[in-house]
């Protein structure tokens, strides 16, 4: 970044790469609030608003799918996919829910059946006796998206007892809705208030659910 700054010193915002400009502004904001000394998340109010909207949507939903069949798996997987529509960065800070019934035929690529078959394979006898297989899920945004991610995680751990899951979080905020470790725990607590994904804390205690963070995602 320093080399790019030197090479483009004196240029206006319209003359530099947009990707660089966006990242530079958000990183400057982290410095302005002294985040790396105080851990003060300047986007906390936006995250709280997105959680409230997601929880309200879940409260109003009468759809409950619970089973080991492919359709149940696909239902929860689609929740993760369409939850990305609530990305606060994409929406310029405006939060909103999403429609789980969005037509799945609009997907360009759908490898869900292969994923489901792989999960079933991990439950077969030849995998007994060894350590559990770890499924890694990379988190992105707080709010509706993360709430549905966690519901899916709880469904996977409950349905496929021979797997464990590691959630990869951002190490610090970059854009508006980035999910940190502390945000994950906040979302888990909020889900408990409406009686959803209530076993996640137990899975954390048992080690089947773990959280990891790395600067790579920022």
């Amino acid at each position: 970044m320093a080399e790019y700054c030197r090479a483009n010193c004196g240029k206006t915002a319209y003359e530099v790469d947009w990707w660089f400009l966006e990242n530079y502004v958000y990183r400057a904001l982290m410095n302005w609030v002294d985040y790396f000394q105080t851990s003060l998340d300047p986007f906390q109010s936006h995250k709280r608003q997105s959680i409230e909207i997601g929880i309200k949507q879940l409260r109003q939903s009468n759809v409950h799918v619970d089973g080991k069949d492919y359709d149940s798996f696909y239902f929860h997987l689609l929740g993760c996919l369409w939850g990305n529509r609530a990305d606060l960065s994409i929406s310029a800070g405006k939060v909103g829910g999403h429609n789980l019934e969005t037509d799945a035929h609009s997907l360009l690529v759908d490898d869900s059946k292969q994923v489901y078959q792989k999960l079933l394979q991990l439950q077969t006898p030849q995998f007994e006796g060894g350590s559990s297989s770890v499924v890694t899920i990379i988190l992105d945004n707080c709010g509706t998206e993360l709430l549905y991610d966690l519901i899916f995680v709880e469904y996977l751990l409950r349905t496929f007892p021979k797997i464990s899951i590691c959630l990869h979080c951002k190490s610090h905020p970059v854009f508006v809705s980035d999910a940190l470790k502390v945000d994950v725990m906040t979302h888990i607590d909020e889900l408990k208030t409406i009686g959803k994904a209530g076993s996640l804390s137990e899975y954390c205690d048992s080690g089947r659910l773990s959280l990891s963070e790395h600067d790579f995602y920022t």
Side-chain angles (χ1 to χ4, degrees):
M1 179 176 286
E3 182 179 347
Y4 186 91
C5 288
R6 287 192 295 269
N8 292 275
C9 183
K11 291 184 179 180
T12 69
Y14 297 100
E15 297 173 316
V16 297
D17 293 335
W18 171 250
W19 183 89
F20 163 80
L21 179 63
E22 184 181 28
N23 278 271
Y24 181 83
V25 170
Y26 276 104
R27 185 55 181 250
L29 179 58
M30 293 297 103
N31 292 334
W32 291 336
V33 301
D34 200 18
Y35 173 82
F36 297 100
Q37 297 297 323
T38 65
S39 297
L40 175 64
D41 188 344
F43 309 123
Q44 195 56 239
S45 62
H46 294 282
K47 291 179 178 181
R48 168 51 55 183
Q49 183 184 3
S50 69
I51 292 175
E52 292 174 356
I53 289 176
I55 290 294
K56 181 179 179 180
Q57 181 185 4
L58 287 169
R59 286 185 185 275
Q60 295 173 344
S61 174
N62 293 321
V63 179
H64 179 73
V65 177
D66 189 16
K68 297 183 178 181
D69 58 286
Y70 169 74
D71 289 340
S72 299
F73 167 80
Y74 194 54
F75 174 86
H76 289 287
L77 184 63
L78 280 183
C80 298
L81 177 61
W82 298 121
N84 191 253
R85 290 186 171 186
D87 186 336
L88 290 174
S89 295
I90 293 175
S91 61
K94 295 181 180 180
V95 296
H98 63 84
N99 183 4
L100 253 185
E101 299 176 356
T102 302
D103 189 0
H105 293 296
S106 62
L107 297 178
L108 298 178
V109 178
D110 186 351
D111 294 325
S112 59
K113 290 184 178 179
Q114 292 92 317
V115 175
Y116 178 71
Q117 289 301 321
K118 182 63 177 180
L119 289 169
L120 288 179
Q121 180 186 357
L122 295 176
Q123 309 306 303
T124 55
Q126 60 261 37
F127 287 92
E128 291 183 357
S131 58
S132 63
S133 299
V134 179
V135 174
T136 297
I137 297 178
I138 301 173
L139 303 179
D140 192 8
N141 302 297
C142 291
T144 302
E145 179 179 345
L146 182 52
L147 290 170
Y148 277 99
D149 286 343
L150 293 172
I151 290 174
F152 182 51
V153 166
E154 197 270 346
Y155 166 80
L156 289 177
L157 291 170
R158 175 165 36 85
T159 306
F160 303 99
K162 295 182 181 178
I163 68 168
S164 59
I165 293 178
C166 181
L167 301 179
H168 286 213
C169 314
K170 308 290 179 66
S171 58
H172 63 80
V174 178
F175 301 119
V176 178
S177 56
D178 288 333
L180 313 179
K181 276 187 175 182
V182 64
D183 297 319
V184 174
M185 302 312 298
T186 299
H187 283 64
I188 289 176
D189 289 340
E190 290 296 328
L191 284 170
K192 287 181 182 178
T193 65
I194 59 172
K196 293 185 179 293
S199 301
L200 287 176
S201 295
E202 296 177 11
Y203 288 131
C204 285
D205 293 339
S206 69
R208 288 192 65 204
L209 176 60
S210 60
L211 306 180
S212 178
E213 60 182 11
H214 197 281
D215 290 339
F216 174 82
Y217 300 111
T218 59

